Amino acid sequence: MSGLPGNSRISQVPESVEVVVIGAGPSGSIAALTLAEAGRSVLMLERRTLPRFHVGESQLTYTAEILRQAGLYEEARAQGYPIKTGAEFVFPSGDYRRTDFADQGPGRFPTTFQVERAHFDAFLATSAVRRGARLVQDAVVHDLITGGDGRVSGVRYEIDGQQGSVRAGWVLDCGGRASKAAQLFGTRKEIPWLQNVAVFRHYDGLDERHNPGKRGDIQVAGHADGWIWAIPIWPTTISIGAVMARKTLRAIGNPKSALDLHLARAPRVVQRLTGATPRTEIHVETDYCYFSNMVTGAGWMMAGDAGNFIDPIFSGGTFLAMATGREAARTLDRILSAPGSERERLLAYSNFYKTGYDSYTRLISAYYDSGYRLGAYLRQRGFAVEGDQHFARVLSGDFWSDTNAFTRYLRTQSQWDTFDPFEPVTECPIYPELDRAERAGMVREAATVQG
């Protein structure tokens, strides 16, 4: 995507705005778009030039609904991204099973996209600018401006060697791992049981006729030393990655060798790659999983990866970034309209943020603890899996609703606790009407049984 609107001239940066958004990734862009549509003055500062490479290519079906609600779905569909209708999970034994997202039940998107993140992120940033947000690229935020009372009131940044600052009523940190709020307030903690590393590259010349599964699906193949992902990001381009323990990569020594060795353990993925050519560049992601107990404060908030990053095995990262970015923007709009509500609304947002990431962390932790056999793990505990709507919804982004028995169970497992105690938000932010209707039906059914 070329011709992205925005600039990198310090003379064009305003002196003050209502909200500064650090980062123009999915969380920052959807937040800026939401704020701009609400009539707020919003500035996005992005430290790189868009488009830029990023991992996290496979999307959840709940992401498609966020795009629809933002008026972006049809335009996203027109980009030509591969359509994803399900997910194939290959077990260490070589057996496999597929989850079809249509199993969620009526009223929910049964499909979503696989995307090249560089292109998709630029698409979202462009959309935010078109809705009225201001974007400045190549703007490196160095620190947050704080007053004597500790309240954040803006940021200091650098563009092409020139120093500048911008004042703001609020700073929304969507800066991912480079989060300035996390650095300033020391919020970040590791998740000790999810400290892995990912090695990945793209392949060109993909021919899905060689795919032993279903066109467009993500494949997740577990083996004794980790797991492999296969995500088609364009009709003829696929992302291949290997996730493993840090010590496993150190023992092998070379990232390319590690990727090749682990890929060879996934014959169904190898078959899919027949005739495809690997690109030269290999990427490595370390410092893998972390969380923050504090995601809001006086004059600032976090969204997306700024406060949390969780293993990508169930593709929830972009969805959680967009869901929290949108909710942060809505929260800020309400606070700006009623400043006296700040404390209450920040607490509500913090609980919302933590609920989503907590549920996702537990889902992934269960997958690892099950030896990459989540379905068997759940069946042993009395849950249905095949064709079950709640299982399909969990894999689609249902991280809040308390109508989902899987999520309720996972929340009881104290071995996967991360955040300090908080009050969960138990209504789905993506399909609230369907969630309320299902909850009402459960109450009526319980009353009938008791009667």
Side-chain angles (χ1 to χ4, degrees):
M1 179 174 290
S2 60
L4 182 71
N7 59 71
S8 57
R9 295 177 60 188
I10 199 166
S11 62
Q12 295 175 308
V13 180
E15 293 183 359
S16 65
V17 290
E18 288 177 289
V19 181
V20 167
V21 177
I22 303 174
S27 59
S29 291
I30 203 72
L33 182 151
T34 303
L35 286 162
E37 287 199 323
R40 302 299 179 183
S41 58
V42 54
L43 169 68
M44 284 190 291
L45 297 176
E46 167 57 44
R47 63 191 177 97
R48 290 181 285 180
T49 300
L50 298 174
R52 77 285 185 273
F53 181 87
H54 208 286
V55 72
E57 297 121 331
S58 190
Q59 305 307 307
L60 302 187
T61 62
Y62 277 35
T63 306
E65 176 62 16
I66 289 183
L67 291 170
R68 187 196 68 78
Q69 292 173 12
L72 297 175
Y73 178 79
E74 291 301 330
E75 190 176 352
R77 185 178 180 182
Q79 303 301 311
Y81 301 133
I83 301 297
K84 174 184 175 184
T85 62
E88 178 184 284
F89 298 95
V90 185
F91 311 128
S93 63
D95 295 336
Y96 64 93
R97 70 173 300 275
R98 181 177 186 270
T99 294
D100 192 320
F101 299 138
D103 290 340
Q104 296 174 80
R108 290 171 167 83
F109 257 103
T111 67
T112 187
F113 306 113
Q114 314 274 27
V115 302
E116 181 186 12
R117 278 291 303 278
H119 189 278
F120 183 67
D121 289 8
F123 163 72
L124 292 177
T126 298
S127 300
V129 172
R130 288 174 179 168
R131 302 288 178 89
R134 183 174 294 192
L135 168 65
V136 178
Q137 302 181 69
D138 301 311
V140 179
V141 174
H142 287 302
D143 51 46
L144 308 182
I145 299 172
T146 56
D149 58 357
R151 187 178 185 87
V152 172
S153 58
V155 302
R156 297 184 183 88
Y157 62 89
E158 179 180 338
I159 298 175
D160 196 24
Q162 292 184 285
Q163 308 290 323
S165 64
V166 56
R167 294 282 173 175
W170 286 86
V171 173
L172 176 55
D173 191 338
C174 301
R177 297 185 187 188
S179 166
K180 295 303 173 184
Q183 294 172 23
L184 177 62
F185 299 107
T187 68
R188 193 164 288 175
K189 299 182 179 182
E190 284 192 347
I191 302 176
W193 62 91
L194 291 176
Q195 289 303 308
N196 292 323
V197 60
V199 182
F200 52 99
R201 74 195 313 181
H202 291 169
Y203 284 65
D204 295 311
L206 175 69
D207 185 344
E208 282 283 65
R209 290 177 297 180
H210 298 296
N211 184 355
K214 190 171 180 64
R215 177 186 295 269
D217 276 4
I218 181 177
Q219 289 173 300
V220 176
H223 57 83
D225 297 310
W227 59 275
I228 293 286
W229 79 65
I231 304 167
I233 61 174
W234 291 111
T236 60
T237 305
I238 190 166
S239 172
I240 301 294
V243 177
M244 64 199 76
R246 293 172 178 172
K247 63 180 181 181
T248 302
L249 179 58
R250 286 197 297 266
I252 297 172
N254 180 275
K256 179 183 180 301
S257 298
L259 178 57
D260 291 343
L261 286 169
H262 282 216
L263 177 59
R265 298 185 181 186
R268 287 180 64 83
V269 177
V270 173
Q271 180 180 342
R272 190 178 193 176
L273 291 174
T274 301
T277 303
R279 294 183 185 175
T280 303
E281 188 174 11
I282 292 180
H283 304 270
V284 179
E285 290 281 352
T286 57
D287 300 326
Y288 219 56
C289 297
Y290 53 81
F291 72 100
S292 297
N293 269 313
M294 183 170 63
V295 296
T296 68
W300 66 273
M301 300 174 70
M302 291 177 177
D305 293 354
N308 243 271
F309 183 80
I310 311 299
D311 191 284
I313 196 161
F314 288 124
S315 309
T318 303
F319 165 65
L320 282 166
M322 294 178 70
T324 57
R326 184 179 69 170
E327 188 65 21
R330 290 173 172 176
T331 299
L332 288 176
D333 180 50
R334 294 171 187 137
I335 291 173
L336 288 166
S337 295
S341 66
E342 176 178 324
R343 182 175 180 181
E344 172 190 355
R345 295 195 183 283
L346 289 182
L347 177 60
Y349 171 76
S350 177
N351 288 335
F352 173 88
Y353 182 101
K354 292 176 181 179
T355 302
Y357 277 96
D358 178 70
S359 298
Y360 186 51
T361 301
R362 293 173 185 276
L363 177 66
I364 288 169
S365 299
Y367 181 76
Y368 277 103
D369 274 16
S370 72
Y372 309 119
R373 298 187 65 93
L374 181 61
Y377 173 91
L378 291 172
R379 282 192 295 271
Q380 290 168 6
R381 287 152 181 80
F383 295 106
V385 175
E386 279 75 21
D388 184 87
Q389 63 180 8
H390 289 117
F391 185 73
R393 288 178 194 172
V394 165
L395 298 185
S396 296
D398 188 14
F399 303 146
W400 284 269
S401 174
D402 62 357
T403 66
N404 195 309
F406 296 140
T407 307
R408 291 201 306 270
Y409 168 76
L410 292 172
R411 288 173 182 161
T412 67
Q413 302 305 295
S414 59
Q415 70 270 29
W416 300 322
D417 289 351
T418 51
F419 299 107
D420 291 342
F422 66 96
E423 186 66 32
V425 174
T426 56
E427 182 173 271
C428 176
I430 310 304
Y431 296 105
E433 297 83 4
L434 294 176
D435 196 44
R436 286 192 289 268
E438 184 169 3
R439 188 176 294 106
M442 292 170 66
V443 171
R444 287 194 298 270
E445 183 178 344
T448 301
V449 171
Q450 292 173 2

